[in-house]
Amino acid sequence: MTTYDYVIVGSGIAGLYTALLAKEKGKVLILTKGSIADCNTRHAQGGIAAAIGQNDSPELHYRDTIAAGAGLCDPEAVRILVEEGPQRITDLINIGVPFDTTEGQIALTREAAHSVPRILHAGGDATGEHIEVTLSRRVLYSTINVLEYCLATDVLMENGQVRRVRALDLRGGSTEEFECRNVILATGGGGRLFKYTTNSEVATGDGIALAYKAGAEITDMEFFQFHPTALRLPGVAPFLISEAVRGEGGLLRNVEGYRFMPDYAPKADLAPRDVVARALVNEMRKTGSDHVFLDVTHLSPQTITTRFPHIYQFCIDHGLDITKGLIPVAPAAHYMMGGIRTNVWGETNVPGLFAVGETACTGVHGANRLASNSLLETVVFAKRVLDKSLLEDRSTPPTVASDRDCQVLPGRRTVSGAPQLGLFALQSLLWGKVGIVRSGESLESAADMLATWEGMLPPTTDRPSYELNNLVLAGRLMTEAALSRKESRGAHFRTDFPRTSQRWLRHIVFRTPS
Ligand SMILES: Cc1cc2nc3c(=O)[nH]c(=O)nc-3n(C[C@H](O)[C@H](O)[C@H](O)COP(=O)(O)OP(=O)(O)OC[C@H]3O[C@@H](n4cnc5c(N)ncnc54)[C@H](O)[C@@H]3O)c2cc1C
């Protein structure tokens, strides 16, 4: 049997970029449950943040990131993000990512809660696609072994160390085990927990379940970012209308045509995402509508079609010319701030197990992610994962968290006459009761239902059944964390505790009972 130096699970930016670094150091295998192209990364539109502009500095980027995180960012992790970010951008350029330029300089745009223009983009609003295509080409023409349609199901330990990954070959149906020295989980987020989401079908929180079952700590799960502006058209899956559209001057109006954001925040349309998302919910409730409008008709058609060609075309394909008509939008689940707890080297508390990308919680986002920091986080911490994994001394377990912080999932009463567990039922429950606006009552009832469904899980035989099992576990971790946090902070808002409390200036961490 081949022993790999690195088994990497996932083929988004996190998996591919880490693999390209790792191939210089050893034998690398990527397992991915769809085709290599199936991931959230390719849908990223706005771009990647980095302090490379003339009026910008890592210090300014640091301050914006810390402010967005509402008190829960790890200052050391943020410092690393903003200081190492520009070097990783240079690496991406050297790898061949074609960032847009104006007059020979990298073009930078502005997004909400950034104090200066600092977002690099490619192909206008097709940044993720360009990154993904560039990296995957490099991977496919290298020595890296890629197994597509291969679903990782377990991380297996030996003598307190990660030793193997078990996976289901989705085409042949067989179970395989891959021996390795390091496992890097790069499995992305969990937007599929919710009925409305901008995320692709792969975002089912698998990494959370894999890590949790292996004994890793999971943290900050109560913080899930809802993007305010996803296209809301009947029969069309929520399609992201990038924040950069508001950055370029797009304005939100309710269905009566009223421009409401100045009533909610000094920064109006460019307020942080959680503030805008809640304002939309309020306006939709007040006007009895399931959407508001985003208005770009005052921008020149040329600005719209050159700056947002992808969004423009998607809307045209669905019968909407956004240069002339208003865009119906509503919030949708977008980004999982919490995840597998890591230190600033991407290490989990399980020796040999690393996490990178959206599945990891490095501490840079705190209670709310600053737009376009996630792609940057991925490349910055991927490099650090690799640097750390090269160190041979495994005698001491990684320092990640202190035990006294950790909770176990509580037992709960079961709900009699509970409806059948299914993906849609789960997503509707979480959208309705653990969504943008929560309360103790809604969270309690969701927690009871999830615990009941945990006893009704389907046997794991194929991708949908594994994913449903993983979603129920991730949903439980999210709901119990939201119930524990008796305050509102960042993306977590409770009507019964609408204020932020100093007492909750701490993280909620779960681990399997030992
Ligand atoms: C519509 C949209 C727009 C966005 N725009 C931006 C933006 O402009 N800027 C920004 O910074 N961020 C943006 N984000 C967020 C950002 O794109 C993601 O956080 C980032 O791409 C995540 O990368 P990743 O590699 O961690 O995960 P992904 O790209 O989602 O990749 C995860 C990979 O893991 C695989 N996988 C999962 N589970 C398993 C398993 N059990 N076995 C095997 N393989 C598995 C998947 O198939 C996939 O290949 C956006 C997100 C969305 C959805």
Side-chain angles (χ1 to χ4, degrees):
M1 186 197 265
T2 310
T3 300
Y4 289 94
D5 294 296
Y6 301 92
V7 171
I8 298 172
V9 185
S11 60
I13 184 173
L16 297 175
Y17 186 74
T18 313
L20 287 171
L21 298 174
K23 80 171 170 42
E24 304 302 326
K25 311 294 175 193
K27 259 180 137 16
V28 183
L29 170 68
I30 295 179
L31 302 174
T32 191
K33 67 180 172 182
S35 81
I36 193 169
D38 291 338
C39 58
N40 266 352
T41 299
R42 69 181 300 115
H43 302 288
Q45 295 176 351
I48 179 165
I52 61 165
Q54 274 186 346
N55 301 321
D56 203 359
S57 66
E59 185 56 34
L60 209 50
H61 191 184
Y62 176 87
R63 276 192 249 147
D64 289 346
T65 303
I66 293 279
L72 285 186
C73 294
D74 174 347
E76 187 192 358
V78 178
R79 185 65 68 194
I80 287 166
L81 176 85
V82 300
E83 286 181 355
E84 297 183 10
Q87 297 158 44
R88 298 292 80 77
I89 295 291
T90 305
D91 294 347
L92 287 177
I93 293 170
N94 291 338
I95 288 175
V97 177
F99 289 114
D100 295 335
T101 54
T102 21
E103 295 167 2
Q105 302 289 322
I106 297 271
L108 296 172
T109 195
R110 190 166 173 191
E111 284 186 329
H114 286 273
S115 47
V116 292
R118 81 163 55 100
I119 318 299
L120 296 89
H121 44 88
D125 56 358
T127 312
E129 194 173 330
H130 282 284
I131 291 178
E132 182 72 13
V133 167
T134 308
L135 297 181
S136 57
R137 264 196 208 131
R138 287 280 180 139
V139 164
L140 290 171
Y141 287 105
S142 74
T143 52
I144 298 165
N145 210 347
V146 182
L147 290 181
E148 297 182 304
Y149 303 100
C150 205
L151 178 104
T153 59
D154 298 279
V155 172
L156 304 171
M157 314 281 296
E158 219 173 84
N159 303 325
Q161 276 269 299
V162 160
R163 266 293 154 257
R164 284 187 303 283
V165 176
R166 186 179 291 145
L168 179 66
D169 173 355
L170 295 169
R171 289 198 279 213
S174 60
T175 298
E176 314 275 340
E177 287 189 9
F178 302 96
E179 205 165 299
C180 56
R181 291 182 56 248
N182 301 285
V183 173
I184 301 173
L185 295 176
T187 46
R192 290 276 151 180
L193 284 161
F194 295 98
K195 182 173 161 191
Y196 297 104
T197 180
T198 60
N199 285 199
S200 73
E201 285 177 1
V202 298
T204 52
D206 294 12
I208 304 294
L210 285 164
Y212 181 77
K213 286 189 293 177
E217 293 166 356
I218 310 295
T219 189
D220 289 3
M221 288 295 284
E222 67 276 34
F223 299 114
F224 206 103
Q225 186 171 80
F226 294 85
H227 199 292
T229 57
L231 186 66
R232 181 63 74 89
L233 282 178
V236 180
F239 171 80
L240 184 73
I241 307 293
S242 168
E243 197 140 42
V245 174
R246 277 173 287 135
E248 296 284 342
L251 300 173
L252 288 160
R253 300 184 186 283
N254 68 18
V255 286
E256 287 153 10
Y258 177 65
R259 197 185 154 215
F260 56 87
M261 273 316 300
D263 299 347
Y264 289 89
K267 287 190 176 168
D269 302 84
L270 289 180
R273 285 182 181 171
D274 61 302
V275 175
V276 184
R278 283 196 297 279
L280 260 69
V281 169
N282 202 31
E283 290 296 315
M284 284 156 53
R285 190 181 44 74
K286 269 187 354 202
T287 57
S289 176
D290 70 348
H291 62 271
V292 299
F293 288 115
L294 183 58
D295 182 1
V296 291
T297 54
H298 53 288
L299 304 181
S300 80
Q302 209 217 342
T303 304
I304 295 171
T305 53
T306 53
R307 188 60 192 82
F308 305 110
H310 194 55
I311 293 172
Y312 173 75
Q313 194 55 48
F314 187 91
C315 291
I316 285 284
D317 292 346
H318 291 84
L320 179 67
D321 181 349
I322 64 172
T323 64
K324 299 196 177 88
L326 303 179
I327 314 169
V329 292
H334 188 57
Y335 185 84
M336 187 174 76
M337 264 81 71
I340 306 163
R341 192 179 211 193
T342 71
N343 61 16
V344 293
W345 297 98
E347 289 177 294
T348 71
N349 56 301
V350 175
L353 182 65
F354 295 81
V356 66
E358 193 167 333
T359 195
C361 185
T362 61
V364 300
H365 305 305
N368 209 356
R369 173 184 69 121
L370 186 64
S372 289
N373 263 356
S374 44
L375 293 173
L376 186 70
E377 176 198 26
T378 298
V379 288
V380 165
F381 288 91
K383 171 82 168 61
R384 296 177 70 86
V385 163
L386 208 83
D387 290 347
K388 189 69 176 186
S389 70
L390 294 174
L391 300 178
E392 288 300 323
D393 179 15
R394 295 282 173 81
S395 50
T396 46
T399 318
V400 178
S402 74
D403 282 351
R404 74 192 154 82
D405 289 347
C406 289
Q407 303 183 17
V408 295
L409 278 172
R412 290 204 157 260
R413 69 180 185 96
T414 49
V415 177
S416 59
Q420 191 66 29
L421 168 62
L423 181 59
F424 186 71
L426 176 74
Q427 292 171 329
S428 301
L429 177 88
L430 293 173
W431 179 259
K433 295 187 187 289
V434 196
I436 301 167
V437 176
R438 305 154 170 185
S439 70
E441 198 185 335
S442 72
L443 292 167
E444 281 284 352
S445 77
D448 287 345
M449 185 62 73
L450 288 163
T452 308
W453 278 341
E454 209 172 37
M456 298 161 67
L457 287 167
T460 45
T461 50
D462 55 9
R463 179 169 157 180
S465 55
Y466 271 107
E467 289 181 342
L468 191 57
N469 275 258
N470 294 341
L471 284 166
V472 169
L473 175 57
R476 279 209 73 193
L477 291 163
M478 179 173 68
T479 306
E480 295 294 352
L483 203 44
S484 292
R485 184 172 287 282
K486 293 186 174 46
E487 64 156 358
S488 292
R489 181 187 295 276
H492 169 69
F493 184 80
R494 283 182 61 158
T495 52
D496 49 346
F497 294 99
R499 296 193 196 292
T500 302
S501 157
Q502 278 293 110
R503 282 183 48 232
W504 280 99
L505 213 46
R506 58 192 166 93
H507 298 273
I508 295 170
V509 188
F510 286 102
R511 194 157 82 181
T512 43
S514 39

